[in-house]
Amino acid sequence: MGLTNTQKIVLGLVFFIFLLLGWGMFPLFFKWLMVGIGSKETELKDFGSLGDIYGSLNTLFTSATLIIVLYSAYLQREANKDARDAMADQLQQAKDATNEQLQQAREATDKQLKLAQSTHDAQMKESRHAIFASTFNILLNQRKAILDSIYTGKEDLKPKKVFEKISDRFLFLIANEWRNLKLEDDKIEKKVSKELKNYMASNTDESFSYNELTSYIYMFVPILSLIKNSSLTEDSKSIYFDNLSCSMTHEEQVTLLWYAAHNEDIRSALKDTGLIDTWFAEKEMNFLVKNYQKSIFSNRSIIDNWKSISKKTPA
C-alpha cells in the first residue's frame, strides 16, 4: 500500500532533519575517525580549519547531488519512454479503432447502397411492368375497337360470322386443294392472298373488306413485339401470349393463319409466341407442318404430333 501525501511530507522532514544533524556533527565524526585510526592530535583545531572539513563534505554532497541528478535524468528518460510507449499504444489503439470503424462504416454503406439499389431496381421493375401492362391493354383495346367499328348491314356478315366463313374456307382448302401446297415463292403466296381477297369480296360487303381485315390483323404486330421486347421473364411472357391467345376465337386464329400464309411480317411476329392454341385435324396438319414454324403453335396435340406428321408429309 503506498504512502499518503501527508506521510510523504513527514518522511521528507525527518530525512531533512537527520541530514542537517549529520552535516552539523560531521566535524566531531571526523575527529573521532582520525583519533580512531591513530592520530596523536586531540583537538579539532589540530585538524585544520573547519572550512576544509566542510569542503570535503561539500565535495561528498556535490558528488551525491550529481548522482541524484543523473538518477533523476535516468528516471525522467524512463518516464518519457513509458510515456512514448503509452502514447504509441494509444495511437495504435486509436488507429485500430478508426480502421474498425471505417470498415464497419464501409460495410454499413455497402449494405445501404445494395438495399437502395435493390429498392430502386424493384421500383423500376414495377414501373416498367406497369407501363408495359398499360400499353398492352391499350393495344388490346385498339384491336377490339377496330372490330367494334366495323358495321355490316346483315347479321350474318358481322365480324364473328365473317371469321367463321373465312375459317371454314381455309380449313377446307388446306385439307384438300392445298394439302401438299408449299409456300416456297412469291407466286404461291400471291395465289393464297388472291384466294382470300376474292373470297372476302364475294362473301362479305364493303364494311368488312380485305383492307379492314388487314387493319385488324396488323394490330398483332405491335402487341407481339411489345411482349417479345419487354424485360419480362420467359414465364411472364408466356402468360401474356396465353392471355392474347385466349382473347381470340378459334375462327380468328384460323383467319390469322390464312393471312400469315402470304405475309412475312405476320409470320415473323408470330414466331416463338405459341399464339395459335386451337386444334386441327391431321389432314389439315400437312399444310401447317410444311408452311409454318412449330413455335407458332401451343396446342399440346399439335406439338406432340408435329414430328410424326412431318415425317408423313412429302417434301
Side-chain angles (χ1 to χ4, degrees), residues 216-274:
Y216 169 75
I217 294 296
Y218 260 88
M219 279 303 304
F220 285 94
V221 175
I223 296 175
L224 295 175
S225 296
L226 176 69
I227 300 174
K228 287 182 178 181
N229 297 328
S230 70
S231 59
L232 299 174
T233 63
E234 292 303 317
D235 290 340
S236 297
K237 290 180 181 180
S238 296
I239 292 174
Y240 279 97
F241 286 137
D242 291 343
N243 186 307
L244 180 60
S245 179
C246 292
S247 70
M248 303 170 63
T249 64
H250 165 78
E251 291 75 20
E252 286 182 85
Q253 293 189 16
V254 175
T255 300
L256 180 61
L257 281 178
W258 191 349
Y259 196 96
H262 64 271
N263 189 289
E264 178 60 31
D265 291 340
I266 303 304
R267 287 203 299 271
S268 178
L270 289 174
K271 182 181 177 181
D272 299 323
T273 64

Coordinates of all heavy atoms in Angstrom, one line a residue, residues 216-274:
Y216 N -57.1 -5.0 -88.9 CA -57.2 -5.8 -87.6 C -56.0 -6.7 -87.4 O -55.5 -6.8 -86.3 CB -58.5 -6.7 -87.8 CG -58.6 -7.7 -86.7 CD1 -59.0 -7.4 -85.4 CD2 -58.4 -9.1 -87.0 CE1 -59.1 -8.3 -84.4 CE2 -58.5 -10.0 -86.0 CZ -58.8 -9.7 -84.7 OH -58.9 -10.6 -83.7
I217 N -55.6 -7.5 -88.5 CA -54.5 -8.4 -88.4 C -53.2 -7.7 -88.0 O -52.5 -8.2 -87.1 CB -54.3 -9.2 -89.7 CG1 -55.5 -10.1 -90.0 CG2 -53.0 -10.0 -89.6 CD1 -55.8 -11.2 -89.0
Y218 N -53.0 -6.6 -88.5 CA -51.7 -5.9 -88.2 C -51.6 -5.3 -86.8 O -50.5 -4.9 -86.4 CB -51.4 -4.8 -89.2 CG -50.5 -5.2 -90.3 CD1 -50.9 -5.8 -91.5 CD2 -49.1 -5.0 -90.2 CE1 -50.1 -6.2 -92.5 CE2 -48.2 -5.4 -91.2 CZ -48.7 -6.0 -92.3 OH -47.8 -6.5 -93.3
M219 N -52.7 -5.3 -86.1 CA -52.6 -4.9 -84.7 C -51.9 -5.9 -83.8 O -51.4 -5.6 -82.8 CB -54.0 -4.8 -84.1 CG -54.7 -3.4 -84.4 SD -53.7 -2.0 -83.9 CE -53.6 -2.3 -82.1
F220 N -51.7 -7.2 -84.4 CA -51.0 -8.2 -83.6 C -49.5 -7.9 -83.6 O -48.7 -8.4 -82.7 CB -51.3 -9.6 -84.2 CG -52.6 -10.1 -83.9 CD1 -53.7 -9.9 -84.7 CD2 -52.8 -10.8 -82.7 CE1 -54.9 -10.4 -84.4 CE2 -54.1 -11.3 -82.4 CZ -55.1 -11.1 -83.2
V221 N -49.0 -7.2 -84.7 CA -47.5 -7.0 -84.8 C -47.0 -6.1 -83.6 O -46.1 -6.6 -82.9 CB -47.2 -6.3 -86.1 CG1 -45.7 -5.9 -86.1 CG2 -47.6 -7.2 -87.3
P222 N -47.6 -5.0 -83.3 CA -47.1 -4.2 -82.1 C -47.3 -4.9 -80.8 O -46.5 -4.8 -79.8 CB -47.8 -2.9 -82.2 CG -49.0 -3.2 -82.9 CD -48.7 -4.2 -83.9
I223 N -48.4 -5.7 -80.7 CA -48.7 -6.4 -79.4 C -47.7 -7.5 -79.2 O -47.1 -7.6 -78.1 CB -50.2 -7.0 -79.5 CG1 -51.2 -5.9 -79.6 CG2 -50.4 -7.8 -78.2 CD1 -52.6 -6.4 -79.7
L224 N -47.4 -8.3 -80.2 CA -46.5 -9.4 -80.0 C -45.1 -8.8 -79.8 O -44.3 -9.4 -79.1 CB -46.5 -10.3 -81.2 CG -47.9 -11.0 -81.4 CD1 -47.9 -11.9 -82.7 CD2 -48.1 -12.0 -80.2
S225 N -44.7 -7.7 -80.6 CA -43.4 -7.1 -80.4 C -43.2 -6.6 -79.0 O -42.1 -6.6 -78.4 CB -43.2 -6.0 -81.5 OG -43.2 -6.6 -82.8
L226 N -44.3 -6.0 -78.5 CA -44.2 -5.4 -77.1 C -43.9 -6.5 -76.1 O -43.0 -6.3 -75.2 CB -45.6 -4.8 -76.8 CG -45.7 -4.3 -75.3 CD1 -44.8 -3.0 -75.1 CD2 -47.2 -3.9 -75.0
I227 N -44.5 -7.7 -76.2 CA -44.2 -8.8 -75.3 C -42.8 -9.3 -75.5 O -42.1 -9.5 -74.5 CB -45.3 -9.9 -75.5 CG1 -46.7 -9.3 -75.2 CG2 -45.0 -11.0 -74.6 CD1 -47.8 -10.4 -75.5
K228 N -42.4 -9.5 -76.8 CA -41.1 -10.1 -77.0 C -40.0 -9.2 -76.6 O -39.0 -9.7 -76.0 CB -41.0 -10.3 -78.6 CG -41.8 -11.5 -79.1 CD -41.5 -11.7 -80.6 CE -42.2 -12.8 -81.2 NZ -42.0 -13.0 -82.6
N229 N -40.1 -7.9 -76.8 CA -39.0 -7.0 -76.4 C -39.1 -6.5 -75.0 O -38.2 -5.6 -74.6 CB -39.1 -5.8 -77.4 CG -38.9 -6.2 -78.8 OD1 -38.2 -7.1 -79.1 ND2 -39.5 -5.5 -79.8
S230 N -40.0 -6.9 -74.2 CA -40.1 -6.5 -72.8 C -39.0 -7.1 -72.0 O -38.4 -8.1 -72.4 CB -41.5 -6.8 -72.2 OG -41.6 -8.2 -72.1
S231 N -38.8 -6.6 -70.8 CA -37.8 -7.2 -69.8 C -38.4 -8.3 -68.9 O -37.8 -8.7 -67.9 CB -37.2 -6.1 -69.0 OG -38.3 -5.4 -68.2
L232 N -39.6 -8.7 -69.3 CA -40.3 -9.8 -68.5 C -39.5 -11.1 -68.6 O -38.8 -11.3 -69.5 CB -41.7 -10.0 -69.0 CG -42.7 -8.8 -68.9 CD1 -44.0 -9.1 -69.6 CD2 -42.9 -8.4 -67.5
T233 N -39.7 -11.9 -67.6 CA -39.2 -13.3 -67.7 C -39.9 -14.1 -68.7 O -41.0 -13.7 -69.2 CB -39.3 -14.0 -66.3 OG1 -40.7 -14.2 -66.0 CG2 -38.6 -13.2 -65.2
E234 N -39.3 -15.2 -69.2 CA -39.9 -16.0 -70.2 C -41.3 -16.5 -69.7 O -42.2 -16.6 -70.5 CB -39.0 -17.2 -70.6 CG -37.8 -16.7 -71.3 CD -38.0 -15.9 -72.5 OE1 -38.9 -16.3 -73.3 OE2 -37.4 -14.9 -72.8
D235 N -41.4 -16.9 -68.4 CA -42.7 -17.4 -67.9 C -43.7 -16.3 -68.0 O -44.9 -16.5 -68.3 CB -42.5 -17.8 -66.5 CG -41.7 -19.1 -66.4 OD1 -41.6 -19.8 -67.4 OD2 -41.2 -19.4 -65.3
S236 N -43.3 -15.0 -67.6 CA -44.3 -13.9 -67.7 C -44.7 -13.6 -69.1 O -45.9 -13.3 -69.4 CB -43.7 -12.7 -67.1 OG -43.4 -12.9 -65.7
K237 N -43.8 -13.7 -70.1 CA -44.1 -13.5 -71.5 C -45.1 -14.5 -71.9 O -46.1 -14.2 -72.7 CB -42.8 -13.6 -72.3 CG -41.9 -12.4 -72.2 CD -40.7 -12.5 -73.0 CE -39.7 -11.3 -72.8 NZ -38.5 -11.4 -73.7
S238 N -44.9 -15.8 -71.5 CA -45.8 -16.9 -71.9 C -47.2 -16.6 -71.4 O -48.2 -16.9 -72.1 CB -45.3 -18.2 -71.4 OG -44.1 -18.6 -71.9
I239 N -47.3 -16.0 -70.2 CA -48.6 -15.7 -69.6 C -49.3 -14.6 -70.5 O -50.5 -14.8 -70.8 CB -48.5 -15.1 -68.2 CG1 -48.0 -16.3 -67.3 CG2 -49.8 -14.6 -67.7 CD1 -47.7 -15.8 -65.9
Y240 N -48.6 -13.6 -71.0 CA -49.2 -12.6 -71.8 C -49.6 -13.2 -73.2 O -50.6 -12.8 -73.8 CB -48.3 -11.4 -71.9 CG -48.4 -10.5 -70.8 CD1 -47.5 -10.5 -69.7 CD2 -49.4 -9.5 -70.7 CE1 -47.6 -9.7 -68.6 CE2 -49.5 -8.7 -69.6 CZ -48.6 -8.7 -68.6 OH -48.7 -7.9 -67.5
F241 N -48.7 -14.0 -73.7 CA -49.0 -14.7 -75.0 C -50.3 -15.5 -74.9 O -51.2 -15.5 -75.7 CB -47.9 -15.6 -75.5 CG -46.7 -14.8 -76.0 CD1 -45.4 -15.2 -75.7 CD2 -46.9 -13.8 -76.9 CE1 -44.3 -14.5 -76.2 CE2 -45.8 -13.1 -77.4 CZ -44.5 -13.5 -77.0
D242 N -50.4 -16.2 -73.7 CA -51.6 -17.0 -73.5 C -52.8 -16.1 -73.3 O -54.0 -16.5 -73.8 CB -51.4 -17.9 -72.2 CG -50.4 -19.0 -72.4 OD1 -50.1 -19.3 -73.6 OD2 -49.9 -19.5 -71.4
N243 N -52.6 -15.0 -72.6 CA -53.7 -14.0 -72.5 C -54.3 -13.5 -73.8 O -55.5 -13.5 -74.0 CB -53.2 -12.8 -71.6 CG -54.3 -11.9 -71.3 OD1 -55.0 -11.4 -72.1 ND2 -54.4 -11.5 -70.0
L244 N -53.3 -13.2 -74.7 CA -53.7 -12.7 -76.0 C -54.4 -13.9 -76.8 O -55.4 -13.6 -77.5 CB -52.5 -12.2 -76.8 CG -52.7 -11.7 -78.2 CD1 -53.7 -10.5 -78.2 CD2 -51.4 -11.3 -78.8
S245 N -53.9 -15.1 -76.7 CA -54.4 -16.2 -77.4 C -55.9 -16.5 -76.9 O -56.8 -16.8 -77.7 CB -53.6 -17.4 -77.2 OG -54.1 -18.6 -77.9
C246 N -56.1 -16.4 -75.6 CA -57.4 -16.7 -75.1 C -58.4 -15.6 -75.5 O -59.6 -15.8 -75.4 CB -57.3 -16.8 -73.5 SG -56.4 -18.2 -72.9
S247 N -58.0 -14.4 -75.9 CA -58.9 -13.4 -76.3 C -59.4 -13.6 -77.7 O -60.2 -12.8 -78.2 CB -58.2 -12.0 -76.2 OG -57.2 -11.9 -77.1
M248 N -58.8 -14.6 -78.4 CA -59.2 -14.9 -79.8 C -60.0 -16.2 -79.9 O -59.8 -17.1 -79.2 CB -57.9 -15.1 -80.6 CG -57.0 -13.9 -80.6 SD -55.4 -14.3 -81.4 CE -56.0 -14.6 -83.1
T249 N -61.0 -16.1 -80.8 CA -61.8 -17.4 -81.0 C -61.0 -18.3 -82.0 O -60.0 -17.9 -82.6 CB -63.1 -17.0 -81.7 OG1 -62.9 -16.4 -83.0 CG2 -63.9 -16.0 -80.8
H250 N -61.5 -19.5 -82.1 CA -60.9 -20.5 -83.0 C -60.9 -19.9 -84.4 O -59.9 -20.0 -85.1 CB -61.7 -21.8 -82.9 CG -61.4 -22.7 -84.1 ND1 -60.3 -23.5 -84.1 CD2 -62.1 -23.0 -85.2 CE1 -60.3 -24.2 -85.2 NE2 -61.4 -23.9 -85.9
E251 N -62.0 -19.3 -84.8 CA -62.1 -18.8 -86.1 C -61.1 -17.6 -86.4 O -60.5 -17.5 -87.5 CB -63.5 -18.3 -86.4 CG -64.6 -19.4 -86.5 CD -64.9 -20.0 -85.1 OE1 -64.6 -19.3 -84.1 OE2 -65.4 -21.1 -85.1
E252 N -60.9 -16.8 -85.4 CA -59.9 -15.7 -85.5 C -58.5 -16.2 -85.7 O -57.7 -15.7 -86.5 CB -60.0 -14.8 -84.3 CG -61.2 -13.8 -84.2 CD -61.1 -13.0 -83.0 OE1 -60.4 -11.9 -83.1 OE2 -61.7 -13.3 -82.0
Q253 N -58.2 -17.3 -84.9 CA -56.8 -17.8 -85.1 C -56.6 -18.5 -86.4 O -55.5 -18.3 -87.0 CB -56.6 -18.9 -84.0 CG -56.6 -18.3 -82.5 CD -56.2 -19.3 -81.5 OE1 -55.6 -20.3 -81.8 NE2 -56.4 -19.0 -80.2
V254 N -57.6 -19.1 -86.9 CA -57.5 -19.8 -88.3 C -57.4 -18.7 -89.3 O -56.6 -18.8 -90.3 CB -58.7 -20.7 -88.6 CG1 -58.7 -21.2 -90.0 CG2 -58.7 -21.8 -87.6
T255 N -58.2 -17.6 -89.2 CA -58.1 -16.5 -90.2 C -56.7 -15.8 -90.1 O -56.1 -15.5 -91.2 CB -59.2 -15.4 -89.8 OG1 -60.5 -16.0 -89.9 CG2 -59.1 -14.2 -90.8
L256 N -56.2 -15.7 -88.9 CA -54.8 -15.2 -88.8 C -53.8 -16.0 -89.5 O -52.9 -15.5 -90.1 CB -54.5 -15.1 -87.3 CG -53.1 -14.5 -86.9 CD1 -52.9 -13.1 -87.5 CD2 -52.9 -14.5 -85.4
L257 N -53.9 -17.4 -89.4 CA -53.0 -18.3 -90.1 C -53.1 -18.1 -91.7 O -52.1 -18.1 -92.3 CB -53.4 -19.7 -89.8 CG -52.8 -20.2 -88.4 CD1 -53.3 -21.7 -88.2 CD2 -51.3 -20.1 -88.4
W258 N -54.4 -17.9 -92.2 CA -54.5 -17.7 -93.6 C -53.8 -16.4 -94.0 O -53.1 -16.4 -95.0 CB -56.0 -17.7 -94.0 CG -56.3 -17.7 -95.5 CD1 -55.3 -17.6 -96.5 CD2 -57.5 -18.0 -96.1 NE1 -55.9 -17.8 -97.7 CE2 -57.3 -18.0 -97.5 CE3 -58.8 -18.1 -95.7 CZ2 -58.3 -18.1 -98.5 CZ3 -59.8 -18.3 -96.6 CH2 -59.6 -18.3 -98.0
Y259 N -54.0 -15.4 -93.3 CA -53.3 -14.1 -93.6 C -51.8 -14.3 -93.5 O -51.1 -13.7 -94.3 CB -53.8 -13.0 -92.7 CG -53.5 -11.6 -93.2 CD1 -54.5 -10.9 -94.0 CD2 -52.3 -11.0 -93.0 CE1 -54.2 -9.6 -94.5 CE2 -52.0 -9.8 -93.5 CZ -53.0 -9.1 -94.3 OH -52.7 -7.8 -94.8
A260 N -51.3 -14.9 -92.5 CA -49.9 -15.1 -92.3 C -49.3 -16.0 -93.4 O -48.1 -15.8 -93.7 CB -49.6 -15.8 -90.9
A261 N -50.1 -16.8 -94.1 CA -49.6 -17.7 -95.1 C -49.0 -16.9 -96.3 O -48.1 -17.3 -97.0 CB -50.7 -18.6 -95.6
H262 N -49.4 -15.6 -96.5 CA -48.9 -14.8 -97.6 C -48.3 -13.5 -97.1 O -48.1 -12.6 -97.9 CB -50.0 -14.6 -98.6 CG -51.2 -13.7 -98.1 ND1 -52.2 -14.3 -97.5 CD2 -51.4 -12.4 -98.1 CE1 -53.1 -13.3 -97.1 NE2 -52.5 -12.2 -97.4
N263 N -48.0 -13.4 -95.8 CA -47.5 -12.1 -95.3 C -46.3 -12.4 -94.3 O -46.5 -13.0 -93.2 CB -48.6 -11.3 -94.5 CG -48.1 -9.9 -94.2 OD1 -47.3 -9.8 -93.3 ND2 -48.7 -8.9 -94.9
E264 N -45.1 -12.1 -94.7 CA -43.9 -12.4 -93.9 C -43.9 -11.6 -92.6 O -43.4 -12.1 -91.6 CB -42.7 -12.0 -94.8 CG -41.4 -12.2 -94.0 CD -41.2 -13.7 -93.6 OE1 -41.7 -14.6 -94.3 OE2 -40.5 -13.9 -92.6
D265 N -44.4 -10.4 -92.6 CA -44.5 -9.6 -91.3 C -45.2 -10.3 -90.2 O -44.8 -10.4 -89.1 CB -45.1 -8.2 -91.6 CG -44.2 -7.3 -92.4 OD1 -43.0 -7.6 -92.5 OD2 -44.7 -6.4 -93.0
I266 N -46.4 -10.9 -90.6 CA -47.2 -11.6 -89.6 C -46.6 -12.9 -89.2 O -46.6 -13.2 -88.0 CB -48.6 -11.8 -90.2 CG1 -49.3 -10.5 -90.6 CG2 -49.5 -12.5 -89.2 CD1 -49.3 -9.5 -89.5
R267 N -46.0 -13.6 -90.2 CA -45.3 -14.9 -89.8 C -44.1 -14.6 -88.9 O -43.9 -15.4 -87.9 CB -44.8 -15.6 -91.1 CG -45.9 -16.2 -91.9 CD -45.3 -17.3 -92.8 NE -44.3 -16.8 -93.7 CZ -44.6 -16.3 -94.9 NH1 -45.8 -16.3 -95.3 NH2 -43.6 -15.9 -95.7
S268 N -43.4 -13.5 -89.1 CA -42.3 -13.2 -88.2 C -42.7 -12.8 -86.8 O -42.1 -13.1 -85.8 CB -41.5 -12.1 -88.9 OG -40.4 -11.7 -88.0
A269 N -43.8 -12.0 -86.8 CA -44.4 -11.6 -85.5 C -44.9 -12.8 -84.7 O -44.8 -12.8 -83.4 CB -45.5 -10.6 -85.7
L270 N -45.4 -13.8 -85.4 CA -46.0 -15.0 -84.7 C -44.9 -16.0 -84.2 O -45.2 -16.8 -83.3 CB -46.9 -15.8 -85.6 CG -48.3 -15.1 -85.9 CD1 -49.0 -15.9 -87.0 CD2 -49.1 -14.9 -84.7
K271 N -43.7 -15.8 -84.7 CA -42.6 -16.8 -84.3 C -42.3 -16.7 -82.8 O -42.3 -15.7 -82.2 CB -41.3 -16.4 -85.1 CG -40.2 -17.3 -84.9 CD -39.0 -16.8 -85.7 CE -37.7 -17.7 -85.4 NZ -36.5 -17.2 -86.1
D272 N -42.2 -17.9 -82.2 CA -41.8 -18.1 -80.8 C -42.9 -17.5 -79.9 O -42.6 -17.1 -78.8 CB -40.5 -17.4 -80.5 CG -39.4 -18.0 -81.3 OD1 -39.4 -19.3 -81.5 OD2 -38.5 -17.3 -81.7
T273 N -44.1 -17.5 -80.3 CA -45.2 -17.0 -79.4 C -46.2 -18.0 -78.9 O -46.8 -17.9 -77.8 CB -46.0 -15.9 -80.1 OG1 -46.7 -16.5 -81.2 CG2 -45.1 -14.8 -80.6
G274 N -46.3 -19.1 -79.7 CA -47.3 -20.1 -79.3 C -48.7 -19.6 -79.3 O -49.6 -20.0 -78.5

